[in-house]
Amino acid sequence: MTFKPARLLLALLAVVAMPVFAQNIAVVNGKAIPSSRAEAVVKQVVAQGQQPDSPQLREMIKKDLIAREVLMQEAVKKGFDKDATVKQQLENARQAIVINALVRDYLDKNPVKDADIQAEYDRFKAQAGDKEYHVRHILTSTEAEAKDVIAKLKAGAKFEDLAKTSKDQGTAANGGDLDWATPSSFPKEFSAAFTALQKGQVTETPVQTPNGFHVIKLDDVRTAKLPSLEEVKPQIAEGLQQKKLQAYQEEMVKKAKIQ
């Protein structure tokens, strides 16, 4: 690609017109504010897409840095930089900044690979299964209460009516409806019970979980509508990154001499 003379002239004029900071953008009470600090702020603002580089942006940043320097000098004059609480906060901030730099470096050198993301997605699909179940339940505090519910259902009572007595207040008002979900969304004992049912069937015996005793009804079954890899790729990548960082941290702690 080549510039025509007119385009080249315009490009050069644009560069010349864009203001640059001098070695110091200002000197406040004898203390200089280096241009490198302002340039770093400009770069950050532009990179984050908050604003494009412009004379107005640079002037705003200059005024802000000057105001901050004035306030900093006043705070030091009053001794706040020697305050124990402030010192601890500064040390915490310093640690966070340095650790974040270490984390960025580790992730750059140990990126999550597409193959890892694919494997995690395949594991998720296998765990979720290829079916979704529309389930209702009635939760009781004791096994005897659950057996009484089952007896009433066999005698002709409607599940939705008995569900009003359920200990699960979140579903009691709507007939115990737990909506569509995959088996992996529930405790193992609970999902094992309803996946063994046929449409319209109710569990013959109470199903115990940490929440209590359940009477479960299976309304319907359908093919699971799982998200595509592309839809969940960012979340999977982030989760794998967190696992890498957790393992890295644990490895460093094991190597450390802790007394």
Side-chain angles (χ1 to χ4, degrees), residues 49-221:
Q50 298 176 16
Q51 290 188 43
D53 195 349
S54 67
Q56 293 79 11
L57 173 63
R58 288 171 174 262
E59 183 62 24
M60 180 180 68
I61 290 173
K62 177 180 177 179
K63 289 181 178 179
D64 181 63
L65 290 176
I66 290 173
R68 289 165 65 92
E69 180 59 36
V70 170
L71 292 173
M72 181 64 178
Q73 291 183 17
E74 182 65 18
V76 171
K77 186 187 300 182
K78 292 187 175 182
F80 286 109
D81 59 323
K82 296 180 175 62
D83 181 83
T85 301
V86 172
K87 283 185 174 182
Q88 184 60 58
Q89 291 173 339
L90 286 172
E91 176 58 23
N92 292 340
R94 187 188 74 84
Q95 281 192 1
I97 292 169
V98 175
I99 290 172
N100 284 339
L102 172 67
V103 167
R104 286 194 300 272
D105 178 71
Y106 176 78
L107 292 177
D108 287 342
K109 294 177 179 177
N110 300 274
V112 173
K113 299 177 182 178
D114 286 342
D116 297 331
I117 295 176
Q118 181 67 58
E120 184 68 9
Y121 178 72
D122 292 341
R123 187 195 65 77
F124 159 72
K125 285 180 61 178
Q127 183 181 31
D130 59 354
K131 293 181 181 179
E132 287 182 320
Y133 297 78
H134 192 181
V135 179
R136 297 177 185 273
H137 84 135
I138 299 171
L139 177 63
T140 65
S141 299
T142 67
E143 184 177 13
E145 289 174 329
K147 286 181 176 180
D148 183 57
V149 169
I150 293 172
K152 288 179 180 177
L153 289 170
K154 288 182 176 181
K158 290 185 178 181
F159 194 96
E160 289 76 3
D161 292 337
L162 295 180
K164 295 176 182 178
T165 64
S166 177
K167 300 297 182 182
D168 181 358
Q169 296 300 311
T171 64
N174 63 347
D177 194 356
L178 292 171
D179 208 349
W180 290 96
T182 59
S184 60
S185 304
F186 300 97
K188 186 176 180 180
E189 303 86 352
F190 193 95
S191 59
F194 70 71
T195 53
L197 297 174
Q198 298 296 319
K199 293 182 185 180
Q201 281 189 331
V202 177
T203 48
E204 291 284 335
T205 57
V207 179
Q208 185 176 12
T209 71
N211 295 319
F213 293 85
H214 307 258
V215 179
I216 307 170
K217 179 184 178 184
L218 176 62
D219 276 357
D220 204 353
V221 184

